[in-house]
Amino acid sequence: MIEQLIAGFGNALTVTNLLFIAAGITLGIVIGVIPGLGSVTALAVLIPITFYMSPLAAIAFLVGVNKGGTSGGAIPAILLNSPGTPEAAATALDGHPMAKRGEAQRALKFALFSSVTGDTISDVLLIVLVVPFAAIALQFGPLEYTAVLLFAFALLSGISGDSPIKGLIAIAVGVFLSTVGLDPVDGSQRMVFNEVELFDGFPLFSLAVGSLAMASVLGQLFELWRAKGEKRLSVEEYSRIETRLPAREFFGHWKTIGRSALIGSGVGMLPGLGVTLAAFLSYGAARRASKEPQSFGRGNPQGIIATEAANSAVVGANLVPAIALGIPGNIAAALLIGAFIIHGIVPGPFMLTNHGELIYALFASMLMANGVHLVIGRIGIPLWARIAQTPRAIILPPVLVMCIVGVYLPNQSIFGVGVMLAFACLGLAFQRLGFPIVCMVIGFLLGGMLENSLRQSLRLHQSDLTAFLGSPIALVFLALTLFVLLRALRRA
């Protein structure tokens, strides 16, 4: 393996490849900053362009876009409390309070360094564990996936707010919304009211951007209107704020970094669970392990570290099932599989055998991309941090416009914009009533998977729910679900 990786570095370490990696990361960060776009939209738009590139340059460029887009969503989350991507919502919980204290640059540095570190750990695990972990993933059937998703929902409801009941209600609302559209089995209409636009269900980007980003922007605009302006830090106050982040301070959180990277890698290796789940699982784990859990949500850097390390760790790990099994770990991995196929590379068990030279060159490119990401991200931090000193009355209206444009561009659909506005109103209502919006979004994201796995389980076992007791993996996760729920209710 070492010899193949060294040969891969020899093939990947070219000026052309490095330029494509740098271009991909830069584009990913810029697009990730725009609410509603993110790395998935960027990949979908840019894949056709790579048809004219060499296979290695094309895949390295797209991996760079994915890496940059995943971390880029943290920038508006920290500076504006408006996540560029759904998974960055957890970053906003502690990143934005730090920015309001005048520590925007430190928060951005925590996010960048955590992202690069988690990504690097994930890439190393991908290289080492691609074959054995693929065998473990094969053991997960419908029963196991159902139990894992129930555990994820229970864990999320317990960490998302003061009331686990409200968290569970919000998740249930999200799961219910995910059922709108055509039935995946028999194609019957479910709550579409003869509207053709609803046959595919609510658009994910419209729901996420409306309930998370636009609801936040509208809420801040209402606050400014009621307060008749806002108090800003003076130039003298801003100049006295500490912006340095010594390496010793950052790596002093090594336990959080390592734990979060492993959580993100574990989630990424299981097909379909996604980046958002990794972010909130990691955030919850960091909060439970902290000696001061009450400081989370008020500007604790460990909240940023946990979220960003886990987010970026998924980027490398989700290629494990994609390369070893041909099964995408998430939407971004599915798009990358499409790019592989465009260039004549068939993902699956024989991929390493038939295209080993290219795959190890890709692994080398991913490791090099982390270094490029660190340089480009570090250069841009002072520029992004200046936004924190811009009055919100100037910043928020353009963000509002970007939300609308970001939702409209992918499908050029006015219907999607209308859905976004409707969920912005719902998001504001959730904020006022104390229901966690993020729980609803994750319930919507994972609701389809929960429905499919549960229906498959019932069909396979003739609606016998005791079949869950016959699967050791499912039984363990169901026991953990009950434990987490009872513990959360007792604490509440």
Side-chain angles (χ1 to χ4, degrees):
M1 179 184 294
I2 299 298
E3 294 79 5
Q4 292 171 307
L5 188 59
I6 293 174
F9 271 104
N11 295 326
L13 194 57
T14 64
V15 175
T16 302
N17 199 40
L18 286 173
L19 288 176
F20 276 120
I21 290 172
I25 289 173
T26 303
L27 283 172
I29 292 175
V30 171
I31 294 174
V33 168
I34 303 174
L37 293 185
S39 58
V40 172
T41 302
L43 286 170
V45 172
L46 295 173
I47 279 177
I49 299 175
T50 64
F51 183 78
Y52 302 99
M53 302 178 188
S54 67
L56 177 58
I59 303 302
F61 170 76
L62 294 174
V63 167
V65 171
N66 196 16
K67 289 176 181 286
T70 301
S71 68
I75 295 171
I78 291 171
L79 299 180
L80 306 172
N81 198 29
S82 177
T85 51
E87 62 268 15
T91 305
L93 296 177
D94 287 283
H96 189 61
M98 286 187 68
K100 290 173 70 175
R101 293 201 305 258
E103 298 182 74
Q105 287 203 39
R106 279 172 54 81
L108 289 171
K109 288 176 182 177
F110 271 117
L112 173 65
F113 298 161
S114 303
S115 178
V116 172
T117 306
D119 207 347
T120 303
I121 293 173
S122 174
D123 291 345
V124 172
L125 289 176
L126 165 66
I127 296 169
V128 174
L129 303 175
V130 60
V131 175
F133 266 79
I136 295 175
L138 282 173
Q139 303 301 315
F140 279 71
L143 288 172
E144 289 74 21
Y145 272 118
T146 302
V148 169
L149 290 169
L150 291 175
F151 169 67
F153 287 150
L155 190 59
L156 179 63
S157 68
I159 66 173
S160 57
D162 297 329
S163 172
I165 298 298
K166 287 185 175 181
L168 288 173
I169 292 173
I171 290 172
V173 171
V175 173
F176 170 76
L177 291 171
S178 72
T179 63
V180 174
L182 297 180
D183 188 287
V185 177
D186 58 23
S188 60
Q189 297 182 18
R190 302 190 301 190
M191 295 171 290
V192 300
F193 305 103
N194 293 322
E195 292 291 336
V196 177
E197 290 87 352
L198 285 176
F199 281 8
D200 290 331
F202 290 113
L204 170 60
F205 285 134
S206 299
L207 184 145
V209 173
S211 58
L212 293 172
M214 180 161 276
S216 174
V217 172
L218 292 176
Q220 292 181 66
L221 287 173
F222 288 145
E223 289 176 7
L224 290 176
W225 177 69
R226 287 197 300 265
K228 308 298 181 183
E230 62 180 321
K231 180 182 181 300
R232 309 297 302 176
L233 293 174
S234 66
V235 176
E236 292 77 13
E237 289 174 321
Y238 189 77
S239 64
R240 289 198 297 269
I241 292 172
E242 180 62 56
T243 61
R244 296 182 301 109
L245 179 58
R248 179 179 298 178
E249 180 182 353
F250 173 71
F251 286 108
H253 302 289
W254 63 271
K255 291 182 180 179
T256 303
I257 297 170
R259 179 177 57 248
S260 304
L262 292 176
I263 290 174
S265 298
V267 171
M269 289 177 187
L270 297 175
L273 297 187
V275 183
T276 307
L277 176 62
F280 283 93
L281 286 178
S282 178
Y283 186 88
R287 184 178 178 180
R288 291 193 304 276
S290 174
K291 296 180 179 178
E292 300 178 345
Q294 70 279 2
S295 66
F296 280 73
R298 301 177 182 178
N300 190 328
Q302 290 191 62
I304 302 175
I305 293 172
T307 304
E308 289 302 309
N311 284 351
S312 296
V314 175
V315 174
N318 63 22
L319 291 179
V320 171
I323 291 175
L325 305 173
I327 301 173
N330 56 18
I331 299 175
L335 293 173
L336 287 173
I337 284 181
F340 278 124
I341 294 173
I342 285 176
H343 290 278
I345 305 166
V346 180
F350 298 104
M351 193 174 180
L352 282 170
T353 303
N354 297 336
H355 306 282
E357 183 178 345
L358 174 63
I359 298 304
Y360 278 96
L362 172 61
F363 291 162
S365 297
M366 293 174 69
L367 293 173
M368 293 190 301
N370 295 329
V372 176
H373 186 187
L374 179 63
V375 173
I376 293 176
R378 181 62 185 87
I379 291 173
I381 281 178
L383 173 64
W384 299 119
R386 296 297 297 176
I387 299 176
Q389 281 303 100
T390 306
R392 285 191 293 170
I394 296 175
I395 287 293
L396 293 178
V399 173
L400 203 64
V401 174
M402 285 192 295
C403 288
I404 296 172
V405 173
V407 167
Y408 175 78
L409 280 180
N411 298 315
Q412 298 184 2
S413 169
I414 294 297
F415 175 77
V417 176
V419 171
M420 177 190 66
L421 295 174
F423 278 101
C425 297
L426 181 62
L428 283 173
F430 268 45
Q431 288 179 5
R432 297 293 185 270
L433 296 172
F435 287 90
I437 303 171
V438 173
C439 286
M440 183 196 72
V441 175
I442 294 183
F444 179 81
L445 286 170
L446 301 180
M449 186 189 307
L450 176 64
E451 179 189 3
N452 289 334
S453 60
L454 180 58
R455 291 175 70 170
Q456 289 172 2
S457 300
L458 295 176
R459 284 178 177 272
L460 286 172
H461 300 280
Q462 289 77 44
S463 300
D464 183 11
L465 293 178
T466 60
F468 284 94
L469 303 179
S471 168
I473 297 176
L475 192 59
V476 168
F477 278 106
L478 288 176
L480 289 173
T481 300
L482 290 175
F483 172 75
V484 169
L485 282 176
L486 292 174
R487 186 181 183 189
L489 290 171
R490 184 176 60 84
R491 285 187 172 184

